[in-house]
């Protein structure tokens, strides 16, 4: 699978992905954007999908299930991408018979040593592995933010642009937002599971202004996340429903990016109100207050 015609059109025209890059796909289910991102960032890239739906990710993508509007979920995503190796494909180890035998012997010795000790079952051992890993990531991320907050203005000036980006947690190359796109249910109407419409981020109602306002709220949240996480020169792609509020969204995006394009791929139906903003090359200087001013 190589994504829909609209997604291929956008990437072919604007080149929003780069080799070995980091991509965050907001509202990734059912995964067509993530699949394009995986293909275009390999080898060495990583793609993190976030969705309220418990959907199966494309091969090569990592996922975090949760409501993206939750600050806790956003912190979890930031903690995930702050580790430069997390989510990247691991190189296949070269097999060496002597080293493998030595490793097995060391593991056996270690296992015997651990079994000989008195076992004390504490809180950390009762928690699941995933929860422990998540907790460690968040602690590491919070420590990174504390260090960044302690940097003086002189410290920042003496750093390179890349160093300033890393210190601020700006490590993502591309943010995608398709949160306003409903995932049509085709089966399982008798169950409340993956495609439960009440669990989607937003459903189209057939009322143009309501659909438009909801999509703009989600796009604004994506822009805020992009401000916090996109490295200088990074890109943002958001899908929205046209209406009176999209001018303000476009104005805000132009404050943060060198170039902002409005695009309606030919694959979209002519009567559809769906559109895309493709924001290219994030600028470093603007403050968040400057970007989000009315």
């Amino acid at each position: 699978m190589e994504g829909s015609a609209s997604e291929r059109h956008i990437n072919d025209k604007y080149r929003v992905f780069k080799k070995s890059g980091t991509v965050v796909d907001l509202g990734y289910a059912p995964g067509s954007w993530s699949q394009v991102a995986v293909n275009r960032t390999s080898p060495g890239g990583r793609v993190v999908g976030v969705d309220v739906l418990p959907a199966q990710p494309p091969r090569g993508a990592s996922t975090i299930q949760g409501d993206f509007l939750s600050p806790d979920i956003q912190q979890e995503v930031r903690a995930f991408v702050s580790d430069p190796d997390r989510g990247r494909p691991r190189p296949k180890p070269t097999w060496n018979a002597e080293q493998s035998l030595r490793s097995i012997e060391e593991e056996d010795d270690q296992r015997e040593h651990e079994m000989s000790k008195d076992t004390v079952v504490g809180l950390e051992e009762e928690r699941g592995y995933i929860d422990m890993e998540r907790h460690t990531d968040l602690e590491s991320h919070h420590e990174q933010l504390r260090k960044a907050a302690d940097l003086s203005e002189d410290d920042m000036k003496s750093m390179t642009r890349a160093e300033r980006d890393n210190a601020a947690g700006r490590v993502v190359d591309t943010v995608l937002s398709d949160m306003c796109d409903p995932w049509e249910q085709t089966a399982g109407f008798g169950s409340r599971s993956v495609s439960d419409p009440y669990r989607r981020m937003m459903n189209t109602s057939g009322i143009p202004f309501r659909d438009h306002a909801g999509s703009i709220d989600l796009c604004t949240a994506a822009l805020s996340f992009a401000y916090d996480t996109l490295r200088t020169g990074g890109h943002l792609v958001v899908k929205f429903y046209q209406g009176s509020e999209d001018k303000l969204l476009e104005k805000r995006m132009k404050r943060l990016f060198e170039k902002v394009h409005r695009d309606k791929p030919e694959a979209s139906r002519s009567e559809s109100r769906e559109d895309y903003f493709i924001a290219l090359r994030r600028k470093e200087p603007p403050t968040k207050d400057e970007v989000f001013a009315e």
Side-chain angles (χ1 to χ4, degrees):
M1 183 174 70
E2 177 58 22
S4 71
S6 295
E7 290 149 0
R8 294 196 302 271
H9 160 83
I10 288 173
N11 183 65
D12 291 344
K13 185 174 181 179
Y14 299 105
R15 303 294 180 185
V16 295
F17 303 119
K18 74 173 190 176
K19 295 293 184 184
S20 303
T22 294
V23 178
V24 176
D25 186 1
L26 306 176
Y28 79 90
S32 54
W33 252 131
S34 288
Q35 185 63 67
V36 175
V38 168
N39 293 343
R40 300 305 171 89
T41 59
S42 65
R46 57 176 175 168
V47 178
V48 186
V50 185
D51 208 298
V52 72
L53 298 173
Q56 182 69 26
R59 182 183 294 273
S62 304
T63 62
I64 294 174
Q65 184 191 346
D67 181 352
F68 171 72
L69 297 182
S70 163
D72 289 341
I73 294 298
Q74 293 191 27
Q75 284 295 319
E76 190 172 334
V77 178
R78 294 189 67 183
F80 186 104
V81 298
S82 67
D83 181 344
D85 298 320
R86 187 93 184 270
R88 295 191 191 277
R90 297 178 181 179
K92 295 181 179 179
T94 55
W95 190 80
N96 181 292
E98 183 179 347
Q99 289 180 347
S100 297
L101 181 59
R102 188 182 305 120
S103 297
I104 292 172
E105 291 174 347
E106 290 174 352
E107 288 176 3
D108 288 342
D109 291 341
Q110 178 67 19
R111 189 177 299 110
E112 290 177 3
H113 175 69
E114 291 176 351
M115 291 177 64
S116 67
K117 296 188 302 181
D118 292 331
T119 303
V120 179
V121 180
L123 179 61
E124 288 298 312
E125 291 174 310
E126 293 177 353
R127 295 167 60 189
Y129 169 77
I130 294 177
D131 286 339
M132 292 170 62
E133 187 179 57
R134 180 178 298 168
H135 181 69
T136 301
D137 287 342
L138 288 172
E139 284 186 336
S140 176
H141 176 59
H142 291 154
E143 178 63 24
Q144 180 186 22
L145 293 180
R146 283 192 290 270
K147 289 181 179 179
D150 291 338
L151 292 173
S152 68
E153 189 173 340
D154 289 338
D155 290 333
M156 297 294 284
K157 288 181 179 179
S158 66
M159 300 167 74
T160 66
R161 187 180 69 184
E163 289 172 338
R164 290 193 296 272
D165 279 342
N166 288 331
R170 300 192 297 261
V171 296
V172 177
D173 297 289
T174 307
V175 172
L176 309 169
S177 174
D178 202 356
M179 290 187 286
C180 64
D181 187 26
W183 187 9
E184 295 183 7
Q185 186 170 358
T186 58
F189 291 95
S191 63
R192 299 250 182 225
S193 58
V194 172
S195 298
D196 182 351
Y198 296 102
R199 300 185 65 181
R200 296 174 186 159
M201 292 297 294
M202 193 194 90
N203 298 297
T204 50
S205 64
I207 303 173
F209 181 76
R210 179 179 175 183
D211 294 341
H212 163 67
S215 76
I216 294 299
D217 286 344
L218 292 172
C219 290
T220 300
L223 177 60
S224 178
F225 177 78
Y227 180 91
D228 293 332
T229 61
L230 268 184
R231 68 173 80 249
T232 306
H235 311 310
L236 170 65
V237 179
V238 298
K239 183 173 168 182
F240 66 97
Y241 290 99
Q242 301 168 16
S244 59
E245 299 296 317
D246 59 42
K247 296 292 186 185
L248 177 58
L249 175 64
E250 183 176 14
K251 182 189 297 185
R252 287 171 169 170
M253 295 176 79
K254 285 181 175 179
R255 293 168 182 159
L256 184 60
F257 295 89
E258 292 182 11
K259 205 78 174 174
V260 177
H261 301 273
R262 182 190 292 250
D263 200 319
K264 187 179 184 66
E266 293 181 3
S268 297
R269 298 189 306 272
S270 58
E271 69 274 13
S272 171
R273 298 178 65 85
E274 295 176 354
D275 222 337
Y276 287 88
F277 279 130
I278 300 93
L280 304 176
R281 299 183 296 280
R282 180 240 168 91
K283 296 181 283 190
E284 183 182 14
T287 66
K288 203 165 191 176
D289 287 341
E290 290 170 342
V291 171
F292 287 92
E294 294 293 331

